[in-house]
Amino acid sequence: MEYRLEQVNDQIYVLAIWDTEWNTYTNAYIIEEEAGLTVVDSCKEGHLMFLQHALNKIGKTADDVKLMLVTHGHEDHVGGETLFTKARKVIHADETPPPGSSISGELLDKGTIGDYDFTTVGYHSPGSVVFFHRPSRTLFTGDFLCFFGDPLSEDGLVSKGDDLRRAWMEYLQGGGVSDLPVFLNGLRIMKDYDADVLCTGHGGVLVGEIDVFLQELIAIGEKNQ
Ligand SMILES: [Zn+2]
Ligand SMILES: [Zn+2]
């Protein structure tokens, strides 16, 4: 198994683990803040050692993590939660955290936690949430919009990722999305954040012209309706 750790911007690191079982990159994010570290999602339980290794690489440990934001309750997003015993951990009330976990299903449809705004998009799973980190204008989308099973962009893990954008537009054009009205609604919510960076649950991190990309997807979706 291989993993990559790269800096997205001054505050944010992406950890992309190659999951040999599911044949996909699965991502977690580490954000350095004054109050301590925040993680967004945590990969699978079997990936704990990579999370630990990545934290050590940036001079931190799991105990430095004070907040864990979970986009949705699938095992490849909540599996690492046991590592973060000093963190407040939150997920939407409509999601099912793993049995015995200390993740609190306290998020409602829209709100703010520290430097993050969130809105429920409810596509992919009932309480799936996108988080927006205001200081860096970074949007964390979970699996609402992601690159599950895709190779990384030829321009790198953190890049504009034109090839990934094109592939997503073709996928949508080909009718790849099942519940189009809900998906379109989520795209409009994301576009309203006017983000500079798109951090998804799997694979490439997109930087720059995010509003253009989202508008292109919205236009394709509206045409397909
Ligand atoms: Zn998922
Ligand atoms: Zn996933």
Side-chain angles (χ1 to χ4, degrees):
M1 209 176 325
E2 64 155 316
Y3 89 90
R4 290 171 182 237
L5 177 70
E6 284 187 28
Q7 200 148 8
V8 176
N9 55 38
D10 284 353
Q11 277 185 283
I12 301 178
Y13 294 87
V14 54
L15 169 66
I17 297 170
W18 179 254
D19 181 344
T20 50
E21 197 187 5
W22 290 6
N23 287 321
T24 185
Y25 279 100
T26 294
N27 298 7
Y29 297 90
I30 304 166
I31 302 104
E32 289 185 306
E33 303 186 80
E34 264 174 43
L37 298 181
T38 296
V39 295
V40 177
D41 290 343
S42 60
C43 305
K44 286 180 173 174
E45 207 178 349
H47 296 150
L48 283 179
M49 58 181 167
F50 297 100
L51 284 167
Q52 250 163 337
H53 195 257
L55 285 162
N56 293 345
K57 247 181 157 173
I58 62 168
K60 307 284 182 185
T61 70
D63 284 354
D64 294 317
V65 176
K66 304 301 179 203
L67 178 65
M68 177 178 168
L69 303 172
V70 187
T71 59
H72 65 298
H74 290 164
E75 64 173 297
D76 53 327
H77 298 261
V78 298
E81 70 100 9
T82 51
L83 205 54
F84 307 117
T85 56
K86 302 281 196 293
R88 175 188 176 198
K89 308 169 197 176
V90 295
I91 196 169
H92 191 278
D94 291 344
E95 292 289 297
T96 313
S101 91
S102 57
I103 304 175
S104 155
E106 64 186 72
L107 301 185
L108 300 175
D109 287 345
K110 204 174 162 62
T112 293
I113 299 178
D115 281 343
Y116 300 82
D117 295 330
F118 66 88
T119 306
T120 307
V121 286
Y123 178 84
H124 180 76
S125 66
S128 63
V129 161
V130 296
F131 293 101
F132 180 65
H133 183 240
R134 287 188 307 277
S136 66
R137 309 201 61 76
T138 300
L139 190 62
F140 298 93
T141 62
D143 287 358
F144 176 92
L145 191 64
C146 70
F147 304 104
F148 190 95
D150 294 339
L152 299 179
S153 167
E154 58 189 27
D155 300 322
L157 169 59
V158 180
S159 66
K160 182 139 180 282
D162 283 326
D163 45 356
L164 296 183
R165 296 179 194 222
R166 260 195 313 275
W168 234 106
M169 288 191 272
E170 282 163 18
Y171 174 72
L172 186 57
Q173 211 140 26
V177 165
S178 54
D179 194 347
L180 202 49
V182 178
F183 185 72
L184 272 169
N185 185 51
L187 287 177
R188 292 186 190 109
I189 289 168
M190 295 204 300
K191 186 166 178 286
D192 283 347
Y193 279 119
D194 195 18
D196 292 336
V197 184
L198 203 65
C199 289
T200 89
H202 298 272
V205 172
L206 304 187
V207 181
E209 295 184 20
I210 301 303
D211 56 333
V212 175
F213 174 49
L214 293 173
Q215 185 52 50
E216 279 168 336
L217 290 176
I218 290 167
I220 292 167
E222 284 174 346
K223 224 185 272 176
N224 279 8
Q225 252 183 335

